[in-house]
Amino acid sequence: MAILINSSQTLFTLQTAHTMYQMKVDEAGVLLHTYYGKKTAVWDYSYRIICEDRGFSGNPYDKGNDRTYSLDALPQEYPSFGSGDYRTSALKVVFPDGSTSCELRFAGVKVRQGKYRIPGLPALYWEEETGAETLEVYMRDTTGQVLVTLIYGVLEELDLITRTAVVENTGKAPICLERVMSTCVDYPGKDWELQTFYGRHVKERTPQRMGLRHGIQSVGSTRGTSSHQQNPFYILCEKTAEEEHGACYGFSLLYSGDFLGEVELDQYDQTRAVLGIHPGNFRYRLEPGGSFSAPEAAMAYAPGGLGNLSQIYHRAYRKHLCRGKYKTARRPVMLNSWEGVYFDFTGEKLLSMAKEAASMGIELFVLDDGWFGKRDTDTSGLGDWTVNEEKLGCTLSELSQRIHRLGMKFGIWFEPEGVSEDSDLYRSHPDWALRIPGKTPVRSRYQLVLDFSRQDVRDYIFGRLCSILDHARIEYVKWDFNRSLCDIYSAVLPPEKQGEVAHRYILGLYEVLERLTDRYPDLLLEGCSGGGGRFDAGMLYYAPQSWCSDDTDAIERLTIQYGTSFGYPISAVGSHVSKCPNEQTGRNTPLETRATVAMAGTFGYELDVNQMTGEEKQAVRRQIEEYRSYYPLIQEGLYFRLTDPEYNDGYHAWEFAAEDKSEALLCVVALKIHPNGPSVLMKVKGLEENGIYLVNHREYPGGVLMEGGIPLPRAKVEYESFRFHIKKIR
Ligand code: GLA
């Protein structure tokens, strides 16, 4: 039993393999949060809550003259705005009379077998009969107009607790939701650090860690996407937490639009963590009888450090979030045309690249931007999903057939949500773009955004995608999105519903993705948004991989992929070997190093293979063979971050270790050459203490490699890399 409820139905304890989460209904019917952390004996943790008379912290009317009871000081499961708790809240409702005070009181509880799903939104799933339970806690507001159902998923073996909230209008007039957070957790004490992942285009998910200060510290996006700038994943950890020790809590949102994550340190040195849809572009009108579902948040507690926390997310997202054929099937090694030829290609040019690629063992040829409409630059054509046969010199089906004849799979790029003003689509349907009547829209990359909150727009685009996918053999689609939203206004909604457009847009996106994966179950879908601008757990429900960054420089990628690994599995990280000098940085790195870095991801190439020397082509052949042999280890092995690239100027290292400890792969990139420098011993992890392993033709006990380390060779050229296969022989 993962969910335990006491006989008076007031104490709810959720247990996973190693963690425990608890809440309690008090005499006033308030749902208090009492514990989240290591699994212990089931105990009523409310003993830790000490009520005192607190100045300027109000008392609910139903507590009479008890000045020691204040919501402003109590830890709660789902605090609401206007209840006398002045900290950041989980819920804000505007009632029909314009008031905003909402007091929630307990109205019942139910336990269900299995893990809930959320219609229209991504959610972790659990397919076995046992091992997952759902708790529903009903909270009614004191005026009887709102019913909130707090839903918890307990995934025992995964050590994850998921949450969502459903808000229903049970009154007689419309209400407006201005804030519906997916989760809120209150902690006693202030000794936490917050780790977030910030960035920008071509530099996503850089880890940043800071001590808490009094007040609210937040991350978020109002760009309509989860964004390059902040990621909807953060970690709250003990100050001493490192990769292998210290308690850490992860908060991850399965949502690809605007989000807000806040951590507030309050006046009594208590810490509140919330995560959900950003209220900035959110005003949701609920008619009587209507309901709203918040996206899912996935929470994990790891007692054993950041590495432990990441591994929890890696496993859960790989096995219980990603879906489709390529969740398990080996993904083909690809050649993407973008950095090789950009818009400048003909069918013949593409075929000659494909031919060369096939001879090197590359298995999938991806035709990126530029194959449709009038699209020789990024100024036009977006939205016109008709094959430019003149440019290709043949039909797409013929091109695909010729590529298949080489023994390769074929894939193409789409940007279904984008539209160029210079396109037939925009000329015939200007109202299909998000824009405000009477105002000129903000453009970005010369383009506008289609109103995916509209069913007719979605149906049209889906129809266009199908007509392409049905008329050529296509095994892969890159779903790109190259700008942030602005002018968020839908031509078909009344003024009072405009505050719903940003969220409806994401629901629309998810609907099309669901239809696509449903209709083409064998399609490999890769998410992308100008690189990693929509690299989030929501997208992983539809696309098992996402292009990680438009920065393909191997050294820059070290930090980007390092940061990404905190919350997302390696199997999701789109990573390619590109040419040198690198397009973004002008840097030269050895081909072998570019491969080492791309192997910490989906692995592919993105350059003009016809420009490579015979020696380079030979090296690519070897790399592909090697990658294939490591594939299960890289995809399913435990991932260990061994160094932090920002604070280490010698070597950066990471490792994949099989869960059964039968083998491991240590990858090292030399960041700087120090002549006459110190010797470096790299300690590896995840081996069997007494097992005997072979490394570089020498035998070592696992314990020795883990304690004594592997001596690293001195780099002879800048950015040289090393890959050590560590194989258990007995
Ligand atoms: C975005 C993507 C690139 C490429 C271009 C094409 O920037 O991230 O990989 O597909 O668009 O325009």
Side-chain angles (χ1 to χ4, degrees):
M1 288 267 279
I3 299 176
L4 304 164
I5 298 188
N6 67 348
S7 57
S8 60
Q9 302 236 314
T10 50
L11 190 69
F12 318 139
T13 309
L14 319 182
Q15 290 184 318
T16 69
H18 305 97
T19 74
M20 197 166 101
Y21 186 103
Q22 193 186 64
M23 64 201 96
K24 186 180 186 180
V25 185
D26 71 8
E27 320 80 68
V30 169
L31 188 63
L32 302 175
H33 173 78
T34 53
Y35 181 76
Y36 186 26
K38 191 173 168 192
K39 191 172 186 174
T40 66
V42 177
W43 197 256
D44 180 351
Y45 268 91
S46 67
Y47 79 90
R48 299 194 298 172
I49 301 171
I50 296 156
C51 289
E52 286 176 75
D53 184 347
R54 307 273 196 187
F56 282 80
S57 286
N59 322 110
Y61 211 81
D62 40 357
K63 290 303 283 188
N65 286 335
D66 182 358
R67 284 182 45 148
T68 68
Y69 186 97
S70 176
L71 295 182
D72 204 20
L74 286 168
Q76 292 158 75
E77 274 301 307
Y78 207 67
S80 49
F81 186 87
S83 62
D85 178 346
Y86 298 93
R87 292 169 289 181
T88 190
S89 62
L91 178 72
K92 185 173 179 191
V93 180
V94 183
F95 289 95
D97 62 4
S99 65
T100 52
S101 275
C102 178
E103 293 184 318
L104 297 177
R105 297 292 184 266
F106 178 68
V109 63
K110 199 154 89 192
V111 176
R112 287 195 277 121
Q113 272 305 312
K115 161 77 173 52
Y116 66 86
R117 299 239 180 161
I118 314 173
L121 281 164
L124 281 144
Y125 58 87
W126 187 266
E127 279 160 341
E128 282 139 60
E129 264 177 31
T130 56
E133 287 178 18
T134 296
L135 176 78
E136 289 187 0
V137 184
Y138 309 106
M139 304 292 297
R140 196 176 286 288
D141 94 290
T142 47
T143 69
Q145 295 174 90
V146 179
L147 178 70
V148 179
T149 306
L150 302 177
I151 308 181
Y152 299 78
V154 186
L155 296 160
E156 282 184 79
E157 200 187 286
L158 298 180
D159 269 330
L160 271 184
I161 292 185
T162 65
R163 283 185 69 170
T164 175
V166 179
V167 184
E168 273 174 78
N169 181 349
T170 48
K172 294 192 168 56
I175 58 171
C176 184
L177 306 178
E178 291 197 338
R179 186 178 172 103
V180 184
M181 286 291 142
S182 298
T183 188
C184 170
V185 180
D186 278 345
Y187 298 87
K190 63 176 171 42
D191 292 326
W192 301 105
E193 286 193 344
L194 173 64
Q195 180 154 337
T196 60
F197 301 88
Y198 78 97
R200 54 182 180 267
H201 178 229
V202 294
K203 187 73 177 172
E204 297 87 341
R205 291 171 295 285
T206 308
Q208 174 171 257
R209 189 160 149 181
M210 64 212 111
L212 298 188
R213 51 179 175 75
H214 285 91
I216 298 174
Q217 28 262 285
S218 72
V219 287
S221 163
T222 52
R223 294 169 174 270
T225 59
S226 48
S227 88
H228 302 83
Q229 286 72 11
Q230 300 286 353
N231 193 264
F233 172 67
Y234 69 82
I235 299 169
L236 207 56
C237 59
E238 284 179 345
K239 287 183 172 168
T240 54
E242 286 176 12
E243 285 295 328
E244 276 189 295
H245 72 262
C248 310
Y249 295 87
F251 291 84
S252 175
L253 193 66
L254 283 67
Y255 190 63
S256 311
D258 293 354
F259 77 94
L260 178 67
E262 288 181 322
V263 175
E264 179 167 7
L265 180 57
D266 76 9
Q267 55 182 334
Y268 306 120
D269 287 354
Q270 308 179 103
T271 302
R272 170 169 291 172
V274 300
L275 181 62
I277 292 182
H278 199 297
N281 284 320
F282 179 81
R283 280 183 327 280
Y284 208 93
R285 185 179 154 97
L286 270 193
E287 301 298 329
S291 72
F292 174 85
S293 294
E296 177 163 285
M299 308 186 298
Y301 165 76
L306 297 161
N308 182 198
L309 185 78
S310 295
Q311 287 169 2
I312 291 174
Y313 282 104
H314 291 181
R315 183 179 298 125
Y317 286 176
R318 225 176 50 231
K319 296 189 173 169
H320 298 276
L321 179 61
C322 292
R323 301 177 297 170
K325 175 176 166 186
Y326 287 100
K327 169 182 162 179
T328 45
R330 186 173 72 73
R331 308 202 198 138
V333 174
M334 78 164 82
L335 175 70
N336 177 297
S337 66
W338 183 243
E339 284 199 16
V341 291
Y342 296 105
F343 291 109
D344 184 18
F345 56 81
T346 59
E348 284 312 315
K349 168 78 189 161
L350 297 174
L351 270 171
S352 75
M353 285 168 78
K355 207 167 162 193
E356 199 56 65
S359 79
M360 294 192 283
I362 294 178
E363 300 156 304
L364 163 69
F365 183 82
V366 175
L367 171 51
D368 209 279
D369 199 352
W371 56 267
F372 53 90
K374 186 184 118 201
R375 182 77 174 170
D376 288 326
T377 65
D378 55 9
T379 56
S380 64
L382 213 50
D384 293 341
W385 300 110
T386 353
V387 181
N388 186 344
E389 294 179 0
E390 205 183 313
K391 184 170 182 179
L392 293 183
C394 60
T395 65
L396 194 66
S397 167
E398 279 158 0
L399 180 69
S400 158
Q401 274 171 26
R402 289 164 78 183
I403 285 171
H404 279 94
R405 260 182 247 129
L406 299 169
M408 292 176 105
K409 291 182 162 60
F410 179 60
I412 47 169
W413 179 97
F414 280 104
E415 187 175 347
E417 301 151 79
V419 66
S420 306
E421 281 166 287
D422 184 3
S423 68
D424 292 340
L425 182 67
Y426 187 73
R427 278 184 285 272
S428 42
H429 295 287
D431 63 319
W432 280 13
L434 290 174
R435 54 179 304 174
I436 299 165
K439 179 189 169 295
T440 49
V442 170
R443 291 195 285 181
S444 186
R445 208 194 189 199
Y446 313 103
Q447 69 196 58
L448 301 180
V449 178
L450 288 175
D451 180 359
F452 259 50
S453 74
R454 284 175 65 160
Q455 189 71 54
D456 53 351
V457 174
R458 296 199 299 270
D459 288 348
Y460 171 81
I461 290 294
F462 184 66
R464 293 308 307 143
L465 297 188
C466 293
S467 84
I468 301 287
L469 298 176
D470 289 346
H471 291 101
R473 206 168 140 204
I474 295 171
E475 284 100 346
Y476 163 102
V477 161
K478 177 170 168 188
W479 182 297
D480 204 347
F481 183 50
N482 278 307
R483 58 162 292 178
S484 305
L485 264 56
C486 198
D487 303 290
I488 302 173
Y489 186 96
S490 176
V492 293
L493 287 177
E496 65 275 16
K497 291 183 92 61
Q498 293 298 336
E500 300 171 20
V501 176
H503 179 62
R504 286 176 180 273
Y505 180 98
I506 296 296
L507 293 180
L509 167 68
Y510 288 156
E511 185 221 79
V512 178
L513 288 168
E514 186 72 39
R515 282 162 80 182
L516 194 69
T517 50
D518 229 41
R519 182 168 166 143
Y520 306 100
D522 291 346
L523 192 70
L524 172 56
L525 205 60
E526 175 153 1
C528 178
S529 176
R534 209 156 55 184
F535 201 114
D536 56 63
M539 284 304 284
L540 290 183
Y541 189 60
Y542 307 94
Q545 63 192 58
S546 200
W547 183 230
C548 189
S549 178
D550 274 349
D551 190 341
T552 59
D553 176 287
I555 303 307
E556 291 272 291
R557 274 291 184 118
L558 293 177
T559 319
I560 297 169
Q561 295 182 185
Y562 169 83
T564 304
S565 77
F566 280 85
Y568 305 97
I570 302 309
S571 58
V573 175
S575 195
H576 299 163
V577 171
S578 63
K579 74 161 183 263
C580 272
N582 179 267
E583 286 283 290
Q584 292 81 35
T585 60
R587 188 182 347 234
N588 283 304
T589 49
L591 179 59
E592 222 40 58
T593 298
R594 285 174 267 155
T596 302
V597 176
M599 281 186 197
T602 56
F603 195 63
Y605 293 80
E606 189 165 331
L607 37 70
D608 185 353
V609 280
N610 288 321
Q611 309 284 324
M612 297 181 104
T613 64
E615 207 180 310
E616 285 173 330
K617 289 177 191 165
Q618 202 45 45
V620 168
R621 266 176 216 116
R622 279 196 309 271
Q623 290 167 357
I624 293 173
E625 261 168 47
E626 195 181 331
Y627 175 71
R628 280 199 210 133
S629 73
Y630 293 147
Y631 189 83
L633 185 56
I634 292 173
Q635 292 282 304
E636 287 155 36
L638 295 173
Y639 179 76
F640 294 96
R641 291 176 292 267
L642 301 182
T643 60
D644 177 342
E646 287 297 282
Y647 298 102
N648 205 324
D649 76 347
Y651 293 90
H652 177 52
W654 62 94
E655 182 196 344
F656 305 93
E659 289 208 39
D660 67 2
K661 300 180 190 290
S662 59
E663 59 173 335
L665 176 67
L666 166 65
C667 299
V668 184
V669 176
L671 298 175
K672 271 194 187 150
I673 295 196
H674 296 293
N676 196 24
S679 305
V680 178
L681 299 165
M682 194 59 67
K683 294 183 182 178
V684 290
K685 296 177 182 174
L687 305 183
E688 192 185 306
E689 198 75 31
N690 297 317
I692 300 298
Y693 292 83
L694 199 62
V695 191
N696 282 343
H697 314 292
R698 285 186 65 176
E699 294 183 9
Y700 304 86
V704 169
L705 292 173
M706 293 193 291
E707 291 308 313
I710 295 179
L712 297 185
R714 187 163 305 287
K716 293 190 196 63
V717 294
E718 199 170 30
Y719 307 124
E720 190 170 352
S721 75
F722 308 97
R723 302 190 287 272
F724 299 89
H725 189 217
I726 305 166
K727 179 87 190 137
K728 187 167 162 226
I729 47 171
R730 56 182 188 277

